[in-house]
Structures are given as C-alpha cells and as structure tokens.
Amino acid sequence: SSHHPAPCHATPCHPLSTIRGATSAAPSISSCGSPTDIFKHVSMAVSPDPVERGTPFTITVTGDLGTDLTSGTVSWDIDAKVSVFGHSVVDKASKQSSPFTLTPGARAGPSKLVVGPITLPGEVPGSADISGKVIVADGTGAQVACVALEFHLVLGQANTAPLPEALGAPQGVTSCGKSGDHMQGVTFGTVGGVTTVSGTLDEDVSEMSFHAALELHTGIFPVPISLSVPVSYSPGLQKGDVMAKVGPTQGASESDGAIPTVTGDITWTDANKQEIACISVGPSADSTIVV
C-alpha cells in the first residue's frame, strides 16, 4: 500500500515558513516599557533594520517625558560579544546598575533623539552581538523607560591577525579642548567609583556631531578608526552649566575577553561645525601597553 504523509495544518511545516522565520528577527532596538512609564508614547527604531555592513544606519527615539529627569538609576542586563580580526575581544555578561545625576537634566515634554546616519568603519574586520535590556528609573525609583537591544553587526570581512598578549589596559580620559570651544571649564574625574564630567556651554545645542579619530590596538600595528556620528536632540541642551555624575556601578559582570586598548581624540561639534569640546582617550599614566 502506498504511504500518504499526514496532512499538515500547522504553519511551521510549510517550507516557506522556515525561510520567513529566519528573516523575521527581533528589532535591533525596541521599547520594553509599560503604560505607567514616565516616558510615554515611545517609538524606538533603527533604519534599516537589520543593520547591514557598509550601509549607513540611523537610530530614532521619540516620546513624551512626563517630568524633568535630573537623577535616577540605569540598570542593564546585557550580553555582549565582539570579535576583531577573527579573535574574541569582548565576551561579557553584565547585570549591573548605576545611579546618575544630570544638570540641568532632561526637560519634560516631547523628546526626539536621532543618532546617525552612521557608517561603520570598514577597516576593522569583525562582528558585534549585543542583546539584553536597559532600564532607566528616576530618583524615586519609578520606571522612566525600558530599552530592549538585539543588535547584530558585521563590521567587515574577518581576517585573522595576531593579537598582543597585553590587552585592556586602563583607559585615561583628558581634555584636548581649545580656548575657542563652546564648552569651557571642562573637568573629568573619578573618585570612589563616581565619574563626574562638567563644563559650561556658551550656546544652546540641539544639532551636533561627534568625530572620532582613534587607533585600535589589537595587533602588531594599530588599526585606524575614523567615525562621524551626527546627533539631533530635541528639546536640546541649554546654555549654562552642564554636569553629569555616574556611579558607583553595582552588580555582577563576567568577562571572557580582554577589551583592546583604544587611543585617540573624540571631537564634539555644533551645527556650524564649530568645536564644543574635545577629549583624548589613552592609556592611564600608570599603565604600560605592550603591543
């Protein structure tokens, strides 16, 4: 007697459904907030999604902030895996939280943040996978927002290159600002696990860009990284004293990979391409880098 396959009523057994399932991945960024969140009517998106190598992408976040946000806590439960030149340089699971204080803070009302378009540098072969949740609460502990991350980036074709033995030396941050910068009196400092950044803006800023001219030390020769990130923020940053305090961080973090050393400058400019501030990233004065 001839064998007849059992009738298939379930969608998953259609061969095309397997293909569809493979392509309908979770969005790279989305809101995991609740109706009681202080940040309401939230929209979070990456375009295009998923992010494709060599294609510029833009992150857009909009919503209505119910009250001014001047202090609170950021909590995260994140898995991050980053490989460069075929070597794992970050393999980290973090479930941590950190208090923060902002002056003058984020103002209540309609808010819109646009980051991009960003073109990832093609000269750094590798990949990055970042998944998990980030929750922001205010000073009373009430939830402001929840962000779900499912970022999967291919930076470039992976070619194996030798990695140095000494990686992840402490990073020092100093100001490379100039006398004509729009932010003056810039100070950085970390005391007792609390990092404080402060300065005085002489203009309102809502359209800005960040320009990174860095070197990634992952082998015998440093890899240059050049990256420009335009940012638009409404209602914007107000002229006057600006201060951010973050820390101390609490919770568990497990890492299987050492973070490579990064050196270079990051410049912050306004809509007129005038410099607001500049920071230099490099090894701490008391650390020795072997590359």
Side-chain angles (χ1 to χ4, degrees):
S1 63
S2 62
H3 174 71
H4 296 283
C8 173
H9 302 294
T11 307
C13 74
H14 191 285
L16 276 179
S17 69
T18 315
I19 300 169
R20 287 196 199 101
T23 55
S24 61
S28 295
I29 183 172
S30 59
S31 172
C32 46
S34 70
T36 57
D37 282 4
I38 295 171
F39 193 44
K40 299 186 183 301
H41 314 121
V42 181
S43 169
M44 300 181 184
V46 176
S47 178
D49 196 5
V51 176
E52 296 178 4
R53 179 166 59 91
T55 303
F57 67 94
T58 300
I59 302 170
T60 305
V61 178
T62 61
D64 294 309
L65 190 59
T67 59
D68 290 352
L69 182 64
T70 56
S71 66
T73 303
V74 179
S75 307
W76 60 94
D77 189 348
I78 297 286
D79 281 318
K81 297 180 189 295
V82 179
S83 66
V84 175
F85 290 109
H87 299 275
S88 174
V89 292
V90 177
D91 189 349
K92 189 171 185 176
S94 299
K95 190 170 185 178
Q96 298 176 296
S97 64
S98 182
F100 66 86
T101 305
L102 303 172
T103 303
R107 283 180 278 169
S111 301
K112 183 175 185 179
L113 177 67
V114 180
V115 180
I118 303 167
T119 302
L120 294 171
E123 59 269 27
V124 184
S127 63
D129 296 288
I130 302 166
S131 60
K133 288 184 179 180
V134 179
I135 295 173
V136 181
D138 71 3
T140 71
Q143 185 166 300
V144 177
C146 177
V147 182
L149 298 172
E150 203 61 61
F151 255 100
H152 303 285
L153 308 174
V154 176
L155 304 177
Q157 297 293 345
N159 298 312
T160 302
L163 280 174
E165 291 300 314
L167 281 180
Q171 300 286 285
V173 177
T174 55
S175 173
C176 47
K178 300 160 190 67
S179 59
D181 283 4
H182 287 289
M183 181 180 275
Q184 291 294 321
V186 178
T187 61
F188 306 89
T190 301
V191 179
V194 179
T195 299
T196 304
V197 181
S198 64
T200 303
L201 272 173
D202 69 0
E203 62 175 356
D204 293 343
V205 180
S206 57
E207 303 282 336
M208 62 199 94
S209 291
F210 295 89
H211 309 278
L214 304 171
E215 287 189 334
L216 182 68
H217 300 268
T218 63
I220 298 169
F221 301 106
V223 179
I225 301 172
S226 180
L227 186 65
S228 288
V229 180
V231 175
S232 166
Y233 171 56
S234 170
L237 303 174
Q238 289 174 286
K239 174 181 176 179
D241 291 340
V242 178
M243 187 270 291
K245 278 188 180 181
V246 181
T249 300
Q250 297 177 326
S253 178
E254 296 178 4
S255 180
D256 293 332
I259 298 172
T261 303
V262 177
T263 60
D265 293 346
I266 300 172
T267 308
W268 177 19
T269 60
D270 64 12
N272 298 318
K273 296 183 169 58
Q274 295 175 352
E275 186 169 300
I276 299 171
C278 174
I279 62 168
S280 287
V281 181
S284 297
D286 58 356
S287 66
T288 304
I289 312 293
V290 182
V291 293

